[in-house]
């Protein structure tokens, strides 16, 4: 999944040309919002993000919100993959980036069997990462951007829609049917194997077509693939001829939080909590998909979409 690409870790040294990202002694310390004084005056922080639309947007939104509170922000959004951002956070090259709870539990903490309860998964991940790595997890989004499948819209209409078992049954009954997948999805522990274990159908190689992420959406929409692996908050699902395959809870939860060095967080925790709550609370699956579509479908710049969203929620 794009949340955990391993190959990008090697780009860390070449990518980072960053300023110090800690909180200066002049930081607000208590989050006093009284009067016209900006609450993060004197705070310097570097904001990172992963290299796909949703995470870039979340990083941009937070970076601009911090600037609006007076912080001196070094914007390193679109920094790279999961490992690049995580290593930069642990080393102090960045101070914060958006991360997914399922990734935190399984990848960063090396744990198995993540909870299917979003609040429980957030809590155990946050507590363990704080204890082991001094990383604070701030907030939790309503949206869950997890793996899923989409069916070609015409096929879904003909068949009355699909859930995962219905998709497996259709694949078994129609051996010429094609499922388009990303390269790593068949081999990931949180990928195709979960579908196969849940449905009892092992997808043969003859039904698998490996494509780049963007092509999966267009090829499934035009019918070259009957089903395609997707990310459930991707704006192209609603913009193209696609219909999500209903998941009863097979795939791992990927709600998002902002992960921050705890020393930075503690210096202004009330302010960060307030900002993150305002940002994340409105972001259900539909709203996050809408923002993603503004970038991926409409072609709007991520920083402009972020600015408009902050105005919409009153943080401009």
């Amino acid at each position: 999944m794009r949340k955990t690409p391993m190959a990008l870790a090697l780009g860390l040294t070449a990518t980072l040309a960053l300023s110090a990202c800690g909180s200066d002694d002049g930081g607000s310390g208590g989050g006093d919002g009284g009067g016209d004084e900006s609450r993060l005056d004197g705070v310097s922080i570097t904001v990172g993000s992963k290299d796909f639309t949703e995470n870039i947007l979340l990083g941009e939104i937070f970076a601009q919100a911090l600037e609006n509170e007076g912080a001196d922000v070094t914007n390193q959004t679109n920094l790279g993959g999961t490992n690049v951002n995580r290593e930069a956070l642990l080393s102090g090259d960045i101070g914060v980036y958006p991360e997914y709870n399922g990734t935190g539990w399984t990848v960063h903490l090396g744990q198995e069997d993540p909870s299917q309860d979003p609040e429980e998964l957030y809590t155990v991940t946050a507590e363990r990462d704080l204890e082991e790595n001094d990383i604070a997890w701030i907030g939790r989004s309503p949206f869950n951007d997890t793996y899923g499948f989409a069916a070609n819209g015409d096929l879904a209409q003909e068949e009355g829609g699909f859930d995962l078992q219905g998709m497996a049954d259709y694949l078994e009954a129609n051996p010429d049917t094609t499922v388009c997948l990303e390269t790593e999805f068949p081999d990931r522990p949180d990928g195709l194997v979960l579908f196969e274990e849940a449905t009892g159908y092992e997808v043969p190689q003859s039904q698998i077509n490996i494509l780049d992420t963007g092509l999966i959406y267009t090829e499934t929409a035009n019918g070259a693939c009957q089903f395609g692996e997707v990310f459930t908050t991707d704006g192209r699902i609603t913009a193209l001829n696609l219909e999500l395959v209903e998941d009863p809870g097979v795939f791992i939860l990927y709600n998002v939080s902002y992960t921050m060095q705890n020393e930075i967080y503690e210096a202004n925790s009330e302010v960060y909590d307030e900002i993150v709550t305002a940002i994340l609370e409105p972001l259900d699956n539909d709203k996050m998909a809408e923002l993603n579509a503004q970038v991926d479908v409409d072609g709007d710049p991520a920083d402009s979409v972020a600015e408009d969203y902050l105005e919409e929620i009153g943080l401009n």
Side-chain angles (χ1 to χ4, degrees):
M1 192 174 187
R2 58 186 174 180
K3 301 177 181 64
T4 57
M6 302 295 291
L8 289 170
L10 295 176
L12 177 61
T13 302
T15 303
L16 298 177
L18 309 179
S19 66
C21 61
S23 174
D24 293 343
D25 291 340
S28 64
D32 180 11
D36 295 328
E37 183 180 353
S38 297
R39 295 183 293 172
L40 295 179
D41 278 344
V43 173
S44 296
I45 187 167
T46 299
V47 179
S49 84
K50 305 187 193 188
D51 52 1
F52 58 92
T53 296
E54 180 174 280
N55 212 258
I56 293 169
L57 273 173
L58 292 167
E60 282 283 351
I61 290 167
F62 195 53
Q64 291 184 30
L66 295 178
E67 286 182 332
N68 293 341
E69 287 287 354
D72 178 14
V73 176
T74 300
N75 189 322
Q76 288 288 327
T77 55
N78 198 12
L79 181 62
T82 294
N83 285 354
V84 171
N85 281 271
R86 176 67 173 189
E87 290 303 318
L89 183 66
L90 293 174
S91 68
D93 287 324
I94 63 175
V96 60
Y97 80 96
E99 186 56 280
Y100 300 84
N101 302 158
T103 300
W105 183 251
T106 59
V107 177
H108 302 324
L109 299 174
Q111 302 301 303
E112 298 179 350
D113 300 322
S115 173
Q116 283 294 320
D117 178 88
E119 183 60 29
E120 180 182 3
L121 179 59
Y122 164 78
T123 300
V124 295
T125 301
E127 290 177 350
R128 194 179 189 103
D129 208 14
L130 181 62
E131 179 182 353
E132 294 184 1
N133 303 300
D134 208 29
I135 299 298
W137 288 68
I138 313 170
R140 177 179 61 82
S141 68
F143 78 80
N144 170 33
D145 183 8
T146 189
Y147 278 129
F149 289 104
N152 171 269
D154 296 336
L155 176 63
Q157 186 173 9
E158 292 171 7
E159 297 294 323
F162 292 96
D163 59 12
L164 291 182
Q165 188 61 57
M167 173 182 162
D169 294 343
Y170 188 88
L171 288 168
E172 187 171 11
N174 298 272
D176 292 337
T177 301
T178 301
V179 185
C180 287
L181 308 174
E182 291 181 303
T183 302
E184 65 179 20
F185 189 70
D187 300 317
R188 290 184 58 90
D190 57 352
L192 184 62
V193 63
L194 296 181
F195 168 82
E196 293 178 334
E197 289 175 350
T199 63
Y201 181 69
E202 185 172 344
V203 184
Q205 287 297 317
S206 60
Q207 289 187 305
I208 293 175
N209 187 12
I210 301 297
L211 295 176
D212 290 337
T213 303
L215 283 176
I216 291 175
Y217 291 84
T218 55
E219 292 297 277
T220 306
N222 67 28
C225 312
Q226 285 68 48
F227 300 95
E229 167 214 340
V230 297
F231 301 104
T232 54
T233 59
D234 197 295
R236 288 168 289 191
I237 295 170
T238 55
L240 299 175
N241 182 33
L242 298 170
E243 182 174 315
L244 273 177
V245 174
E246 183 179 346
D247 176 9
V250 170
F251 289 109
I252 292 173
L253 296 176
Y254 287 103
N255 306 87
V256 82
S257 302
Y258 287 95
T259 56
M260 181 181 284
Q261 287 191 324
N262 192 50
E263 182 180 3
I264 298 174
Y265 172 69
E266 289 291 344
N268 295 281
S269 59
E270 293 180 13
V271 183
Y272 296 132
D273 287 343
E274 182 181 320
I275 292 171
V276 169
T277 296
I279 289 171
L280 294 183
E281 275 192 349
L283 291 180
D284 58 15
N285 276 42
D286 290 339
K287 185 61 179 180
M288 194 69 247
E290 175 190 322
L291 297 182
N292 289 336
Q294 289 177 30
V295 177
D296 288 332
V297 179
D298 300 337
D300 298 334
D303 57 349
S304 297
V305 175
E307 183 178 0
D308 290 345
Y309 178 67
L310 288 172
E311 183 174 357
E312 178 183 335
I313 63 175
L315 286 185
N316 58 330

